[in-house]
Amino acid sequence: MNKLILGLCTALIISNPSFAAYERNKAVPVQQVLFGSVQSVRNITEQELVQDKNSGWKTFGGALLGGVIGNQFGGGSGRTAATILGSIIGGSVANNRQQSSHYNQYHLVELMIKVENGEQFMVVQDKDNQMIFRTGDSVRLVYLSDNTVRVDKAY
């Protein structure tokens, strides 16, 4: 049983998609590289509301627990009424307590880049505190085989 749980957890972790377009120490085939200069830089903060996806299970668990507790009281039709009332109260309490959501905050940088042939490109990517861009910086646009682009300083 423990091996099955461990195997399922491992499969879930491995199959979880990564949202970062750039990972360290990973070789990715490059389709094209363009060189240019930064025309403008804008830092963006984006928030995403994340709702609790387990709310149904929590409500069900509260109703189940309330029904079990309610079943301990009374006898005959009184016990049935106490069980039903306990389920309703337990589900309601669990539903009201689990109304939780939170925000994920992302720090992005928007770059307007003019490449050598005169074309302009706007790229929005994760902000990297190790690579701060300024207007006039020489950069390279690296187009990767997974249809993503990454802007790096051209040293």
Side-chain angles (χ1 to χ4, degrees), residues 48-59:
E48 177 187 25
L49 179 63
V50 179
Q51 297 286 343
D52 186 1
K53 294 181 181 174
N54 296 320
S55 61
W57 287 107
K58 290 178 183 177
T59 303

Side-chain angles (χ1 to χ4, degrees), residues 24 67 83 103 109 120 143 145 147 153 155:
R24 292 186 193 276
T83 302
Y103 285 97
V109 62
Q120 290 189 342
Y143 290 87
S145 63
N147 294 325
K153 287 189 176 183
Y155 295 107

Side-chain angles (χ1 to χ4, degrees), residues 27-32 142-149:
V28 179
V30 175
Q31 288 183 341
Q32 181 181 13
V142 181
Y143 290 87
L144 304 173
S145 63
D146 61 357
N147 294 325
T148 61
V149 63

Side-chain angles (χ1 to χ4, degrees), residues 93-118:
V93 167
N95 187 43
N96 290 336
R97 291 197 63 164
Q98 60 81 29
Q99 297 291 337
S100 64
S101 61
H102 62 279
Y103 285 97
N104 282 345
Q105 190 166 7
Y106 301 100
H107 297 283
L108 308 169
V109 62
E110 176 188 88
L111 302 167
M112 177 63 77
I113 299 167
K114 186 173 186 177
V115 295
E116 293 172 335
N117 67 4

